[in-house]
Amino acid sequence: MEAVSLKRTRAARRKRLEILQLRSLASDGLIREKDGVKTKRKREGKVRLGDGFDATEVSLSLSLESSSSDSDISGILKKNIPIGILLSRGQILDDDDDVGCDGAGAGRDVPCRAHGAVSVCGRRRAMEDAVTVAPGLVSGAAGEEAPSRYDFFGVYDGHGGCQVAHVCRDRLHVVLATEVEDRRGDGVDWKGVMEAGFAKLDGEIGKSLSEGQENGVMDTSMKTVGSTAVVAMVGAANVIVANCGDSRAVMSRGGAVVPLSCDHKPDRPDEMERIEAAGGRVINWDGPRVLGVLATSRSIGDHYLKPYVVSEPEVTITERRAEDEFLILASDGLWDVISNEKACEVVRRCLMRKPVSKKLKRTMDGDGSAEAAAMLVELALGRGSNDNISVIVIDLRKSRKL
């Protein structure tokens, strides 16, 4: 009897540790599910989820994508993860699976080992951020030595409302995939694909606005709604990043921080020159703003500020290397209070962290990217970020060792 009791006590203690491990990934959620009914707890200072994420969706995502066959672990994940932690998870590979390419350019066609995405309202009253994750969006791009798969990731920071950010979330990756298909004949010009895709979506929004006004179904105030966009197409051989606005993409390569985008601020010398050449002005009103209104010089939407604010993205194409570690995409709610170096340090520590038990190893070890995204959000809130915060962390390692 004593041996059985001791065994049960150890099992209970181990289970409590596993639950604490999961709960430590982020702050307490505001949405809980009890007897199939979602209830909300309102507490000052707590994080609210962005639109499109709730308890049911998180549980469904984990149960479908978890690589563990242990039903007990699946139950723990469904019932005990604080809502707002793992909003998205990528595939988790074994150490003997290759990711990306080696120095010779060979390797399996698996763009990334895992990914994690978190999007929270933070201290704002309204949620205007949006996030898109579309694994395997493009396959078999022509003009390459071997058919390649590209995973798509996008972070959109809306302003003046959430409408344009939601359009970007639902449409931009679809438009880009169509552009790739249309350009397969002569190989893929990624810069051209990104520029055409952003312009097409911006044109769709402008057309919808004009038609809505003519039919009397759209308020003219919609002209003041826009969104920044930072997106990444991650392939086995390269990473393509397109940025329009002040969201940001940062890669860690062999311990070094490699910015893959440059913020479009109105006081950036080349941006100020472009705005003034178009007849606009940059006015310092609680910071530099286009015509004293908008704090970013490029965005999708914002048709009342054209031609001073443009939707053309800056595109970088980075060849993958064996020492690539991870990629961070985030809205300015993170970057306003956290430097590139600090963000990479936090992610690196999360990817190195070991689970508390072997039982959770398969489930959690490859999921450090989701934990890292949650920790970055927590750190930004702790440092006083007053904006919506959206973060995607993409694990680019060939193995789990850093």
Side-chain angles (χ1 to χ4, degrees):
M1 288 295 292
E2 290 182 0
V4 173
S5 178
L6 181 61
K7 185 176 181 179
R8 288 179 177 174
T9 301
R10 287 176 176 173
R13 183 180 301 164
R14 184 172 62 251
K15 191 170 184 178
R16 285 197 300 272
L17 285 172
E18 291 166 355
I19 293 172
L20 289 174
Q21 168 86 6
L22 296 171
R23 286 180 173 172
S24 69
L25 300 186
S27 58
D28 291 339
L30 293 182
I31 304 176
R32 292 178 181 266
E33 192 166 13
K34 185 176 182 181
D35 299 328
V37 179
K38 290 191 283 289
T39 59
K40 293 187 178 181
R41 297 183 297 121
K42 295 184 178 180
R43 295 171 60 182
E44 292 186 3
K46 293 298 181 180
V47 179
R48 287 185 291 153
L49 287 178
D51 294 339
F53 296 113
D54 60 22
T56 304
E57 288 177 272
V58 174
S59 297
L60 178 62
S61 173
L62 290 172
S63 62
L64 287 176
E65 297 182 349
S66 174
S67 55
S68 173
S69 60
D70 193 321
S71 60
D72 293 336
I73 296 299
S74 181
I76 291 173
L77 287 171
K78 287 184 179 182
K79 296 177 183 177
N80 295 292
I81 289 187
I83 304 307
I85 302 173
L86 307 181
L87 302 186
S88 178
R89 288 182 58 195
Q91 61 180 323
I92 300 171
L93 307 178
D94 292 322
D95 282 334
D96 55 358
D97 288 328
D98 287 338
V99 179
C101 61
D102 56 24
R108 278 193 52 184
D109 185 26
V110 180
C112 61
R113 179 174 295 279
H115 67 264
V118 177
S119 184
V120 299
C121 185
R123 296 183 176 89
R124 282 286 181 92
R125 292 187 177 183
M127 181 60 177
E128 296 177 336
D129 278 10
V131 169
T132 298
V133 175
L137 178 68
V138 176
S139 298
E144 297 177 348
E145 294 182 1
S148 296
R149 159 183 156 170
Y150 285 86
D151 293 345
F152 177 90
F153 305 91
V155 171
Y156 311 107
D157 182 2
H159 45 262
C162 62
Q163 295 91 333
V164 174
H166 286 181
V167 172
C168 292
R169 177 193 65 192
D170 299 334
R171 286 282 298 150
L172 184 56
H173 60 291
V174 178
V175 172
L176 291 175
T178 303
E179 285 293 325
V180 172
E181 289 295 328
D182 293 343
R183 295 165 181 256
R184 281 186 183 276
D186 300 323
V188 178
D189 171 17
W190 285 109
K191 187 174 186 297
V193 165
M194 292 298 184
E195 291 176 350
F198 276 62
K200 185 176 180 179
L201 185 62
D202 189 59
E204 288 181 3
I205 294 170
K207 183 179 179 181
S208 176
L209 178 61
S210 299
E211 291 176 351
Q213 285 181 250
E214 291 176 0
N215 299 328
V217 297
M218 187 176 292
D219 191 344
T220 55
S221 64
M222 284 293 295
K223 287 186 175 181
T224 65
V225 180
S227 176
T228 69
V230 59
V231 305
M233 296 285 279
V234 180
N238 51 31
V239 175
I240 301 95
V241 169
N243 179 56
C244 175
D246 55 6
S247 295
R248 192 181 304 169
V250 178
M251 175 189 282
S252 178
R253 168 174 284 173
V257 177
V258 183
L260 298 187
S261 69
C262 185
D263 300 353
H264 293 127
K265 295 293 188 181
D267 60 343
R268 206 178 91 175
D270 57 339
E271 288 295 286
M272 182 181 291
E273 183 179 352
R274 179 185 60 78
I275 293 168
E276 291 177 347
R281 292 183 60 192
V282 175
I283 301 173
N284 197 331
W285 187 275
D286 191 24
R289 297 174 182 270
V290 179
L291 301 186
V293 178
L294 190 62
T296 179
S297 58
R298 299 194 190 191
S299 70
I300 296 174
D302 292 309
H303 288 270
Y304 75 115
L305 287 175
K306 295 189 182 303
Y308 321 124
V309 174
V310 298
S311 61
E312 181 182 353
E314 287 186 316
V315 182
T316 61
I317 302 174
T318 306
E319 186 177 347
R320 293 279 299 271
R321 297 182 184 175
E323 60 267 29
D324 291 348
E325 297 168 353
F326 52 83
L327 174 66
I328 306 171
L329 304 179
S331 60
D332 65 340
L334 176 77
W335 304 116
D336 285 347
V337 295
I338 296 178
S339 66
N340 295 352
E341 292 74 18
K342 176 57 69 174
C344 288
E345 179 185 345
V346 170
V347 173
R348 189 175 295 106
R349 289 188 178 187
C350 289
L351 294 181
M352 291 174 63
R353 200 159 73 91
K354 303 293 184 181
V356 295
S357 73
K358 293 181 179 179
K359 195 175 185 180
L360 277 180
K361 181 175 178 60
R362 177 68 177 172
T363 304
M364 295 296 296
D365 193 27
D367 219 16
S369 52
E371 177 185 357
M375 293 299 292
L376 286 176
V377 169
E378 281 196 68
L379 182 58
L381 289 168
R383 291 194 170 188
S385 177
N386 292 314
D387 204 349
N388 304 144
I389 309 170
S390 296
V391 180
I392 301 177
V393 174
I394 303 134
D395 190 346
L396 302 176
R397 296 172 295 168
K398 287 176 62 66
S399 70
R400 294 195 183 102
K401 297 179 180 179
L402 282 177

